[in-house]
Amino acid sequence: VTWDREIAQLPYDQRALAERAATACSQAYARYSKFKVGAALRIKGGGVVTAANVENGSYGLTSCAERNAIFRAVAEKGTDVRWTSIALVADVEKFDPAKPPTISPCGACRQVLNEFKADDNATVLFIKDGQFVLMTIEKLLPIPFYFKPWQQQSLNDGTD
Ligand SMILES: [Zn+2]
């Protein structure tokens, strides 16, 4: 992977996470759109979980890299798993280099990411308009849905 100057200016741990996402991106099953995306989740307490998008001939059943990463993390580490940082990388080779597509997480993924965030300062690294953007989950999804709003805090500490 050849990074541009923007990512070179990011902290080492963010660059390392982006490298993991790039590796995951190469495993994407994107035979319809050719739009490959990789995600790498840094897990609270240690470890990284990666995933890629998986498309389907029905189109509507396609599952994004971000949600696949969360679901894999729950399957591997249990329901108390929480993430502190996520990096997203898209393979944009087929697109016009002058107009790279935005790959900020879709609305569904933002909501799923919110469910398993370590806290509001969990960071999301993605590409927008050719630039790497690093922002908090709170900024990315300022007003998440909560089934029981008064339990908002308990989601984060794993209690009910
Ligand atoms: Zn998504």
Side-chain angles (χ1 to χ4, degrees), residues 63-67 104-110:
S63 188
C64 303
E66 300 94 309
R67 272 177 288 158
S104 66
C106 77
C109 287
R110 292 177 195 208

Side-chain angles (χ1 to χ4, degrees), residues 71-89:
F71 300 155
R72 183 180 186 184
V74 172
E76 286 185 0
K77 300 180 181 295
T79 55
D80 290 338
V81 70
R82 294 295 180 269
W83 63 278
T84 59
S85 188
I86 185 171
L88 304 170
V89 170

